[in-house]
Amino acid sequence: MSFKRITALLILVISIFAAGTASAGLARSYAVYPVEINGPDQYKYLSRGVQTMLISRLNWTGHFEPLAASKELSEADRPTSKIEEIKSTEKLGVDYLALGSITIVGKDASIDLRMVDKDGKSWTKSSKTTIEGLIPALDGLATEIKGDLFEKPGIKKVTEGDKAREEAKPKAALNPEFLTASASAIPMQSKINAQFRYEGGTETPGRWRSQSVDVVNRGGFVADVTGDGNQEVVILTDQEIKVFAVQDHRLKELLSYQYTSRANGIKISGIDIGKDGVTEVILCVIIDHRPVSYILSFKDKVAKELISRVPKFLSSVRLPPNFTSTIVGQAYDPSRTFYSKNMIEYMYSGGGLVAVRNLAVPEFANVFNTAFLPDKEDYKMLVINKYGRIGVYNKGREPLYESQASYNSVDVKFETANKLVGFGSENKQNSMGHYYAVPMAITVASVSDPKKLEVLLNKDLSVASQVFSNYKNFSQGEIHSEYWDGVGLSLAWKTRRIKGSVTSYGVADIDSDGEKELYCILNSYPGALGVKFRKTLIVAYELNLEQ
């Protein structure tokens, strides 16, 4: 190597080293004073604790580093005027001061964190949270401050898409039984230690649980089906439909309707076909491997068949453009069971059903697995596939998103055909036993934010179901609130874990007190070997708690 090349290489190495040294010397510095606590004396200890935390959280080695003597600063050293703040930066030899205050009222906390530079200019970051949410809230504020000062990797600038997603996000739900998603900007609202977040007694604030009823249910809904002005709980069992009233926080059976013993009941749903405020019941059963549907009235506590033995799958679905409950039917196809081109909207007229229009839906949509999500002037279609994953489609039936997790599975199924078109019927003796599992209906409602719609789903929680595809008897569940952020469905909040197999859920005034609740109909889970001892119970969550 020539002398000139060696010299050039040495100069380059020295330049790089000098640049690195200069860069290290350009790190901005800060000092953190003990935080002012405005609240009960029992929380005064937080002053020093938060100071230590901020010293650590604001640190970004080589860019933003704390004053070594920051921990020695006391409350008495805290500047009380703008002039004192400027003098403090000069005295300490730092670029910034971190001054903060926390106001505590009950279990709620309000954080104000102010950054002051050596010229006296300042800006404030604020957050409202709970005592339990202090740490994640302070983490978020520290991240925002570093994002303001530097374009730190991992802290990106807010784009128009980010703003749109943030605007789509509903507010945090108020019930302490609901947990805000960790990705949300709003801290967890729970008043219970996060280490015990799945625990809770029967008298947990904001949650009500009924007594156990000695039947196993296959789903249901809450509505006024008797016409008495109160809401009733309607459930489907393997032999009948039972109607319960909620009185003094207990379930009281009002009446029942028994269908033929040859039938396998698979679904009930509600619809007010008379537009008189009284909800009728759509019952769909399987008889001899074929669907048979009924429309029943329980007005005045008398069971009456309005329409009998319709040879179709019938259900109630909220259809665009008005998104009101509508009768939707589907013919049985012996080669495919469900065929999307057969989905038809019906209306009740003259004691019968009149076809209104064919519905343009995705290929694997059916009357049980499809819901519609209003989206400004348009809508999205939500379809639960055979694996329990949620698919989102636009108005033109183009796929936009599919979830990785499975939702809304329930232990209700019926045997389906397993043959190709034109090959005759399948030999029953050689049948492989193919089944279609009927999912819970998807609920679309405004729960935590009256201006924004949320998609409520029951998360499947079971190890066995991940191994055995036909296993749908879950020991516990979680209701998730998801919202469309323009790219996919994102979690807004979820309930604490619900012990038991959830079969249905929804939003209704279950106790007729004038306020709606999020309710879950479930079967108790006495273990895989004790399924015959399962019982029905209801869990309900208040949605309008005082702040």
Side-chain angles (χ1 to χ4, degrees), residues 51 69 75 80 114-115 121 125 127 130 160 227 244-245 248 411 437 449 452 462 484 507 517:
Q51 177 195 26
E75 294 183 31
T80 57
R114 193 161 63 92
M115 299 298 295
K121 296 178 181 178
K125 293 288 182 181
S127 177
T130 61
E160 291 300 321
F244 295 87
D248 298 324
D411 190 23
D449 189 336
K452 296 172 184 177
S462 170
W484 177 253
V507 176
E517 291 82 29

Side-chain angles (χ1 to χ4, degrees), residues 42-352:
Q42 69 190 83
Y43 295 113
K44 296 297 183 184
Y45 73 93
L46 289 173
S47 178
R48 280 290 189 182
V50 173
Q51 177 195 26
T52 302
M53 179 184 163
L54 287 175
I55 291 173
S56 171
R57 297 300 197 275
L58 289 171
N59 183 32
W60 185 19
T61 304
H63 298 271
F64 199 45
E65 299 178 348
L67 177 71
S70 252
K71 292 183 180 180
E72 299 174 9
L73 296 174
S74 66
E75 294 183 31
D77 298 324
R78 191 163 48 211
T80 57
S81 67
K82 186 173 183 179
I83 294 176
E84 287 187 16
E85 290 170 357
I86 296 173
K87 288 181 178 180
S88 294
T89 58
E90 294 174 353
K91 179 181 177 181
L92 298 174
V94 294
D95 297 298
Y96 294 92
L97 300 179
L99 304 166
S101 67
I102 298 177
T103 302
I104 299 174
V105 179
K107 295 294 184 180
D108 297 319
S110 178
I111 308 170
D112 291 301
L113 185 58
R114 193 161 63 92
M115 299 298 295
V116 184
D117 67 14
K118 55 189 175 183
D119 295 324
K121 296 178 181 178
S122 66
W123 76 100
T124 302
K125 293 288 182 181
S126 301
S127 177
K128 291 184 178 180
T129 182
T130 61
I131 298 298
E132 290 81 5
L134 271 177
I135 291 178
L138 287 166
D139 270 336
L141 293 179
T143 300
E144 289 181 27
I145 289 170
K146 287 184 284 188
D148 290 342
L149 292 172
F150 313 94
E151 289 187 13
K152 183 179 177 182
I155 304 176
K156 65 177 183 178
K157 293 183 178 179
V158 177
T159 64
E160 291 300 321
D162 295 331
K163 291 179 180 178
R165 281 188 284 276
E166 188 63 29
E167 289 175 0
K169 184 185 301 178
K171 297 177 182 177
L174 297 176
N175 195 309
E177 284 294 304
F178 299 159
L179 303 176
T180 301
S182 59
S184 173
I186 306 172
M188 187 171 66
Q189 297 298 311
S190 171
K191 297 180 180 179
I192 300 176
N193 188 309
Q195 296 300 318
F196 311 120
R197 67 180 191 170
Y198 295 130
E199 301 301 320
T202 57
E203 300 302 324
T204 300
R207 189 186 73 167
W208 165 76
R209 189 179 72 189
S210 75
Q211 84 278 20
S212 298
V213 180
D214 197 15
V215 294
V216 179
N217 78 83
R218 299 185 171 193
F221 62 90
V222 174
D224 179 8
V225 297
T226 63
D228 63 357
N230 296 319
Q231 303 288 292
E232 286 89 29
V233 179
V234 186
I235 66 168
L236 174 68
T237 75
D238 60 351
Q239 291 293 320
E240 58 190 339
I241 295 174
K242 287 182 174 290
V243 180
F244 295 87
V246 177
Q247 296 179 359
D248 298 324
H249 301 288
R250 294 182 63 82
L251 294 176
K252 178 183 178 182
E253 185 172 344
L254 299 180
L255 71 153
S256 65
Y257 166 85
Q258 189 166 6
Y259 53 88
T260 175
S261 59
R262 295 190 302 115
N264 171 25
I266 60 171
K267 195 75 169 182
I268 57 171
S269 53
I271 184 170
D272 180 7
I273 60 175
K275 306 302 179 185
D276 57 357
V278 182
T279 299
E280 282 73 36
V281 178
I282 300 176
L283 166 65
C284 185
V285 301
I286 299 293
I287 301 177
D288 297 330
H289 304 288
R290 302 262 176 174
V292 177
S293 295
Y294 303 78
I295 297 183
L296 310 167
S297 169
F298 292 98
K299 194 170 184 179
D300 299 325
K301 300 180 183 179
V302 176
K304 179 182 178 182
E305 293 183 7
L306 301 181
I307 296 181
S308 302
R309 302 186 66 85
V310 178
K312 297 179 185 295
F313 297 99
L314 291 184
S315 187
S316 172
V317 180
R318 293 182 178 273
L319 294 181
N322 298 322
F323 301 98
T324 55
S325 293
T326 308
I327 301 171
V328 178
Q330 200 161 15
Y332 175 76
D333 186 327
S335 64
R336 302 182 62 168
T337 304
F338 287 115
Y339 188 42
S340 58
K341 291 184 179 179
N342 291 335
M343 276 186 70
I344 300 174
E345 175 187 347
Y346 289 94
M347 64 178 293
Y348 178 76
S349 178

Side-chain angles (χ1 to χ4, degrees), residues 292-483:
V292 177
S293 295
Y294 303 78
I295 297 183
L296 310 167
S297 169
F298 292 98
K299 194 170 184 179
D300 299 325
K301 300 180 183 179
V302 176
K304 179 182 178 182
E305 293 183 7
L306 301 181
I307 296 181
S308 302
R309 302 186 66 85
V310 178
K312 297 179 185 295
F313 297 99
L314 291 184
S315 187
S316 172
V317 180
R318 293 182 178 273
L319 294 181
N322 298 322
F323 301 98
T324 55
S325 293
T326 308
I327 301 171
V328 178
Q330 200 161 15
Y332 175 76
D333 186 327
S335 64
R336 302 182 62 168
T337 304
F338 287 115
Y339 188 42
S340 58
K341 291 184 179 179
N342 291 335
M343 276 186 70
I344 300 174
E345 175 187 347
Y346 289 94
M347 64 178 293
Y348 178 76
S349 178
L353 294 179
V354 178
V356 177
R357 56 169 173 157
N358 281 42
L359 299 176
V361 292
E363 184 178 3
F364 298 104
N366 62 59
V367 297
F368 303 129
N369 72 356
T370 305
F372 294 82
L373 174 64
D375 184 19
K376 296 180 180 178
E377 302 300 324
D378 208 343
Y379 62 86
K380 300 289 188 295
M381 289 182 278
L382 311 173
V383 178
I384 303 175
N385 66 20
K386 65 179 180 179
Y387 304 107
R389 294 196 280 268
I390 306 297
V392 181
Y393 300 79
N394 64 15
K395 189 176 180 179
R397 291 174 285 174
E398 297 173 336
L400 303 176
Y401 166 82
E402 183 177 286
S403 69
Q404 296 299 308
S406 65
Y407 300 89
N408 283 34
S409 298
V410 63
D411 190 23
V412 176
K413 58 183 179 290
F414 60 90
E415 194 170 359
T416 61
N418 182 34
K419 70 182 187 66
L420 298 176
V421 178
F423 281 75
S425 60
E426 184 181 30
N427 187 324
K428 189 173 182 179
Q429 185 177 359
N430 299 324
S431 171
M432 295 295 292
H434 293 265
Y435 292 90
Y436 176 76
V438 181
M440 290 175 248
I442 298 171
T443 296
V444 176
S446 297
V447 176
S448 48
D449 189 336
K451 296 181 181 179
K452 296 172 184 177
L453 287 169
E454 301 161 56
V455 179
L456 302 183
L457 302 166
N458 179 64
K459 176 72 180 298
D460 299 339
L461 295 174
S462 170
V463 175
S465 67
Q466 298 173 9
V467 180
F468 306 103
S469 59
N470 283 333
Y471 186 89
K472 301 296 180 183
N473 193 13
F474 301 97
S475 60
Q476 54 189 355
E478 288 176 350
I479 301 299
H480 285 203
S481 168
E482 311 234 348
Y483 64 96

